[in-house]
Amino acid sequence: MNDPVTDPANDPVTDPVTALPGLDLRALATHLGTGPLTGELFRGGRSNLTYRVSDGTRTWVLRRPPLGHVLATAHDMAREFRVISALAGTAVPVPGTHRLVEDPSVIGAPFYLMDEMPGAALRERSQCPWLTPDDARVLSQRLVDVLADLHSVDPASVGLADFGRPDGFLTRQVTRWGKQLDASRSRDLPGIDELRDKLAATVPTSTRATIIHGDYRLDNALVTQDPPRISAVLDWEMATLGDPLADLGLLYVYWAGLGSDNDPITGGVTSLPGFLTADELVARYTARTGTDTSGLGWYIAFGYFKLAVIVEGIHFRFASGQTVGAGFDKLGAFTVPLVRQGLAAAHKEL
């Protein structure tokens, strides 16, 4: 989530009662038994909606699903709440959690409350004037190290032994994201069915299963300054038990993006001086975990497919008037370029 105060691209929305889209502050205050609440929408998110709310004494961050067109299992507040709560006390930095409310009658959708954490999600170069090349290198390394730490957590030791079904995980993922695509399909998308079919025909055999984040990238972490560190990893809605290379492949996609400085996928941040290259990220992960990453190409291709489906789902909701936030009007233009990158990675792997 972006800091609504420091994010130069988006002014916060603030109102003590009803102005926030998707959040009735009066109803929330009644449920919490507090006085009047003020609230701000973190506009940087592209999926679940995230708000800062305060009663003047205490401050929380609230997460709820997007408005309208919610695909089955894609925005599960209970799963996100559970995994964040379970990881508290591990080497993985996460916010403290407070309350899960699954009853949609309170604000119109399930939601949960967690601590506000320091730092900002780095989405654009304009947020990074303080970032030296040394800072960028350290931040790159730390991001990989946190992923390695996540993949080293024993699920059973934190109560997550039943959090997913690792057997057949990759096959189910290709099927699931194909279904997500079909549920959001509203226009011709050249190459996307070819990519889906190629992925389905070449699913690799997973060699280990871990807790995976499902959408791990730089701007799903909060970064603080002096020295640069990751204060929290956010947006766990896709977390499960599965093949850790799926996380690494998607991180590669988010890092490399579409290969331009004004890339909306990376925001150009990871091309600033000092940041490791995507291949260097993989090399560090390999050294930290001892994982065989020689077959990562399939996972990279799948990452491009998954991201293309996510972007298309956001485009669908925007075109239907069922989402809020800045930049959604332009995001749909990048679905097909992502598909092209995915096909290139798939052909290279083969």
Side-chain angles (χ1 to χ4, degrees), residues 279-300:
D279 288 335
E280 287 170 336
L281 290 180
V282 173
R284 185 172 181 90
Y285 179 89
T286 303
R288 273 291 308 268
T289 65
T291 302
D292 179 5
T293 57
S294 59
L296 192 66
W298 185 94
Y299 299 86
I300 293 171

Side-chain angles (χ1 to χ4, degrees), residues 109-243:
F111 68 93
Y112 70 89
L113 297 173
M114 61 183 170
D115 287 335
E116 181 179 25
M117 301 296 287
L122 302 183
R123 293 190 170 94
E124 300 175 359
R125 286 185 167 211
S126 59
Q127 295 175 272
C128 306
W130 57 273
L131 199 65
T132 68
D134 283 345
D135 289 337
R137 177 181 54 81
V138 169
L139 182 55
S140 302
Q141 293 171 342
R142 183 57 184 145
L143 191 71
V144 176
D145 293 347
V146 169
L147 186 63
D149 288 341
L150 171 64
H151 294 165
S152 71
V153 173
D154 175 13
S157 72
V158 293
L160 295 177
D162 63 343
F163 195 60
R165 295 179 294 137
D167 290 345
F169 168 75
L170 294 176
T171 297
R172 289 196 308 276
Q173 282 287 292
V174 175
T175 300
R176 174 194 173 187
W177 287 99
K179 290 180 178 178
Q180 302 280 49
L181 169 65
D182 293 338
S184 299
R185 192 191 293 262
S186 61
R187 55 183 180 156
D188 183 40
L189 298 169
I192 201 163
D193 291 310
E194 177 188 351
L195 179 56
R196 171 167 58 177
D197 292 345
K198 187 174 293 293
L199 289 167
T202 57
V203 175
T205 300
S206 298
T207 58
R208 67 190 276 243
T210 69
I211 302 167
I212 62 172
H213 181 277
D215 197 25
Y216 193 79
R217 62 185 196 259
L218 177 61
D219 62 330
N220 269 343
L222 293 181
V223 176
T224 61
Q225 304 177 28
D226 302 323
R229 68 180 183 90
I230 295 173
S231 64
V233 178
L234 306 174
D235 293 4
W236 292 84
E237 65 193 80
M238 297 181 191
T240 189
L241 302 185
D243 190 327

Side-chain angles (χ1 to χ4, degrees), residues 1 20 29 33 40 48 64 66 107 119 125 175 186 215 220 248 251 253 255 257 282 286 296 338:
M1 55 191 165
L20 291 177
E40 299 166 303
N48 288 336
R64 61 146 291 166
I107 65 166
R125 286 185 167 211
T175 300
S186 61
D215 197 25
N220 269 343
L248 185 62
L251 175 61
V253 167
W255 209 261
V282 173
T286 303
L296 192 66
L338 287 166

Side-chain angles (χ1 to χ4, degrees), residues 55-132:
D55 63 2
T57 301
R58 294 163 297 177
T59 300
W60 305 272
V61 171
L62 182 148
R63 291 267 287 173
R64 61 146 291 166
L67 306 178
H69 191 65
V70 177
L71 299 172
T73 75
H75 307 280
D76 190 332
M77 296 294 97
R79 286 184 64 82
E80 190 166 279
F81 182 86
R82 181 184 174 191
V83 70
I84 294 173
S85 300
L87 289 170
T90 71
V92 182
V94 290
T97 52
H98 291 285
R99 183 181 304 201
L100 170 68
V101 179
E102 298 185 83
D103 180 358
S105 69
V106 178
I107 65 166
F111 68 93
Y112 70 89
L113 297 173
M114 61 183 170
D115 287 335
E116 181 179 25
M117 301 296 287
L122 302 183
R123 293 190 170 94
E124 300 175 359
R125 286 185 167 211
S126 59
Q127 295 175 272
C128 306
W130 57 273
L131 199 65
T132 68

